[in-house]
Amino acid sequence: MKRILLALAAILIAAGAAFYFMRDQIGLAIFQRATHAAVTSDLAPELPDGLTAAFCGTGSPLPYRNSAGPCTAVVAGGKLFVFDVGDGAPETLALMGLQPARIEAVFLTHFHSDHIDGLGNLAVQRWATGASTAPIPLYGGEGVERIANGLREAYALDTGHRIAHHGPEVVPPGGEGYAAHPFVMPEGQESAVVYDKDGVRITAFSVNHGPVRPAFGYRVDYKNRSIVISGDTATSPNLVRVAQNADLLIHEALAPNLVGIMGSEAESQNLNGVAHIFHDIPDYHTSPSDAASEAQQAHVGALALTHLIPPIPVSVIEGPFLGDARNRYDGPLWIMRDGDIIILPAGGGIERRHVLR
Ligand SMILES: [Zn+2]
Ligand SMILES: [Zn+2]
């Protein structure tokens, strides 16, 4: 027995020594493997035909390390449609295996800074990794052309540097930045189809985020499946109308009770400006309970909460965040995290997965 133990100890010591002396080679091998996985990762072909919602940013302007600013992507027919691009969202998309070269178009719900902070970076990623020869189509309400033109100007020096360094074959001149597609609602209408190609139909609809105007949500239809993205909005009868019988409603959520605590805390520290903001924001967002009521009225198949205000760092806060939301809606209700996807296969069904690498 003693001899066996001694032999075992000798083997362990030898293995430890081998690991110690070979640690650089082991590190390099791990790095090589991770690099291979990162370079070849492409989630879209792994998904079934149908619609997939990808949560590339479930955060808000409140700082939180674990979530990017607002961003929801939809994969349809192998193409990527991105709705809002908050700070950190391009990195999260990459870590989910969603390649910028697959981006067909970006859609903005409105022009609050947290919804556009990642736009410049996303365009550079697509241009540099996909050798794109045309800018990304950027859809939004009136004013979106100012954002596209402003970004182009802000990145003009960078564009020149990269073309000079890598050459026009790698980073084709004219392929950088965004091309604006502004739209307005036709007189007397509160929704309009803004994209319709290869079976993917995207409808913009007015929401209630005043004084922010224009402010839109979007409905995506493809192969008999449908996803509705609320954008930023207080409760909105128009959203309930457009979302009727959708398979998935992705809704923003602000918990007034928790934001109230934050406001009181700011007030007690004499941070009056901050306290004022916390007091102002609940009136143009939707509480989880009200989002659940709207999901029920619209008879949607599932409700996914995003744009979480405040962030939820530990699961024990989920209950206070949701309030009585679960009593108001019969279907599946999920609080989303960055890196989650919800798959709606063309044939039916729904599945939630986490794909952040
Ligand atoms: Zn907003
Ligand atoms: Zn927002």
Side-chain angles (χ1 to χ4, degrees):
M1 186 64 188
K2 197 174 167 192
R3 207 179 277 176
I4 292 171
L5 282 176
L6 277 174
L8 206 60
I11 289 167
L12 282 174
I13 289 166
F19 181 83
Y20 180 79
F21 288 114
M22 290 181 70
R23 64 192 187 283
D24 285 356
Q25 287 94 320
I26 292 168
L28 275 176
I30 290 170
F31 180 76
Q32 176 120 37
R33 187 177 264 213
T35 304
H36 176 78
V39 169
T40 56
S41 96
D42 189 5
L43 180 66
E46 297 170 22
L47 300 169
D49 195 17
L51 285 174
T52 296
F55 293 81
C56 32
T58 58
S60 73
L62 296 176
Y64 181 47
R65 277 262 169 244
N66 291 348
S67 56
C71 176
T72 306
V74 173
V75 185
K79 288 180 188 152
L80 194 56
F81 301 85
V82 184
F83 298 85
D84 292 334
V85 189
D87 195 19
E91 292 83 353
T92 307
L93 277 170
L95 292 171
M96 294 174 78
L98 291 164
Q99 300 292 342
R102 288 193 180 274
I103 296 173
E104 170 77 0
V106 170
F107 296 78
L108 297 181
T109 58
H110 64 298
F111 309 137
H112 262 149
S113 58
D114 53 313
H115 293 249
I116 64 172
D117 284 337
L119 277 175
N121 185 8
L122 187 67
V124 172
Q125 295 296 331
R126 174 175 173 271
W127 182 47
T129 62
S132 56
T133 53
I136 304 179
L138 181 67
Y139 291 80
E142 269 183 298
V144 75
E145 66 285 352
R146 292 180 63 187
I147 290 171
N149 295 338
L151 278 175
R152 177 169 291 246
E153 176 57 23
Y155 281 72
L157 297 174
D158 174 80
T159 299
H161 299 325
R162 291 188 195 278
I163 294 169
H165 193 186
H166 307 299
E169 289 80 29
V170 177
V171 280
E176 77 283 359
Y178 288 88
H181 292 253
F183 56 80
V184 284
M185 284 293 135
E187 191 64 33
Q189 263 180 247
E190 290 208 87
S191 62
V193 174
V194 293
Y195 178 98
D196 196 354
K197 203 169 146 191
D198 299 330
V200 180
R201 192 174 72 240
I202 299 177
T203 307
F205 58 92
S206 302
V207 292
N208 180 10
H209 195 42
V212 181
R213 294 180 193 88
F216 297 110
Y218 292 95
R219 175 177 170 128
V220 186
D221 287 274
Y222 177 68
K223 299 221 165 162
N224 266 332
R225 305 308 311 262
S226 51
I227 295 173
V228 172
I229 296 165
S230 73
D232 281 13
T233 182
T235 52
S236 158
N238 193 40
L239 179 145
V240 173
R241 182 182 67 82
V242 173
Q244 282 301 317
N245 300 313
D247 291 302
L248 173 65
L249 171 60
I250 298 169
H251 208 297
E252 65 118 286
L254 176 148
N257 51 337
L258 303 184
V259 169
I261 292 171
M262 297 170 88
S264 303
E265 192 59 33
E267 217 164 56
S268 73
Q269 300 299 318
N270 289 322
L271 299 168
N272 295 331
V274 176
H276 197 280
I277 291 172
F278 281 129
H279 174 77
D280 287 344
I281 56 178
D283 71 1
Y284 68 0
H285 289 292
T286 303
S287 70
S289 301
D290 286 341
S293 293
E294 296 199 308
Q296 186 73 17
Q297 288 163 36
H299 309 104
V300 299
L303 171 62
L305 299 179
T306 187
H307 195 287
L308 307 171
I309 306 178
I312 305 172
V314 286
S315 60
V316 74
I317 299 175
E318 286 184 9
F321 181 89
L322 287 174
D324 67 346
R326 290 203 189 279
N327 299 328
R328 296 198 189 190
Y329 174 58
D330 295 336
L333 190 170
W334 295 310
I335 296 175
M336 304 314 296
R337 291 179 301 152
D338 282 31
D340 285 348
I341 59 173
I342 297 176
I343 305 169
L344 301 166
I350 184 164
E351 184 195 344
R352 179 183 177 184
R353 269 194 227 159
H354 189 74
V355 298
L356 203 62
R357 295 158 211 240

